[in-house]
Amino acid sequence: MKTISSVVEQYIRKKPFLQSALAQGIINLTSLSRIVKPEIEGELGKDIRNGAIVMALKRLSDDLEFRATHKIIKVLKNIGEITVRSSLTDYTFLASDTILPQQARLLEEVNYNQDVFYTSSRGVNEINIVISNSMDGVVERLFQHEKYTQKAENLSSITVKLPAENVSVPGIYYFIFQRLAWEGIVLYEVISTTNEFTILVDDQQVDVAFKTIKDLKTL
C-alpha cells in the first residue's frame, strides 16, 4: 500500500539535486510541498493536505542528512594532495588497429620529457589522450593517419588524492561533481584510479574548480 511518505520519497529520489538540497536543509519545505502536491495526489489518487507532505519531507530530510552526508563528509575531510596542471590539450581519437603502436611511440617521446603531463584512457570506440600542449606537434605527427573526433585546447587538470576508504563509501564522486556542477564547471574529462581522480576543465574555470574541491575539506 502506498503511503504519503513512500510516494514523497520516491519523488525526491528521482531528482538528485533536490535530494541533496533537501539533505542540507536549504529548501523551504512548505513551498516545496505546494510544488509537489499535484504529483503526490495524482500518485495516491486522493487529496492530500500540505501539512502531511511537509511532515513527510521533514522526516525524509532528517534521514537523508544523516545517511547521505555523514560518511561522505568524513571521507572528504581527509582529501589529500590536490595538484593542478595547466596548458593541456585533450585529443579524442576513434579506436583503430593501428593506434596502439602510435601510443607506444608517444610514450617514448614523453619519457624524454619528464615535465610533460600525460594521461590516456580507452573506451569501447574511442581513445582519449590528455597531454601538455608542448607535445601537440608530436601527437599530430604520430597520429596524422588516425581519425580524431575532438581536440580541445587551453585546458587545466586538477588531480585529487582520496583516502583509501573512498572505495567503500557510496556517493563520493556524486557529492564532488554535484558541487562542481552547482558552480557551473564544465568537465571535459574525468579520469580515475583507485585512490585518485583527475578532472579536466577550461583554463578560465580552474581557479573556481580548485576552490570548490579544496573547500570540501572544511565541510
Side-chain angles (χ1 to χ4, degrees), residues 51 93 99 113 121 124-125 153 205:
F93 296 96
I99 200 166
N113 297 271
S121 59
V124 175
N125 299 305
E153 301 177 278
Q205 292 192 310

Side-chain angles (χ1 to χ4, degrees), residues 50 103 157 166 173 184 203 213 219:
N50 277 338
Q103 274 192 288
S157 69
N166 86 88
Y173 284 99
D203 281 343
I213 293 174
L219 288 173

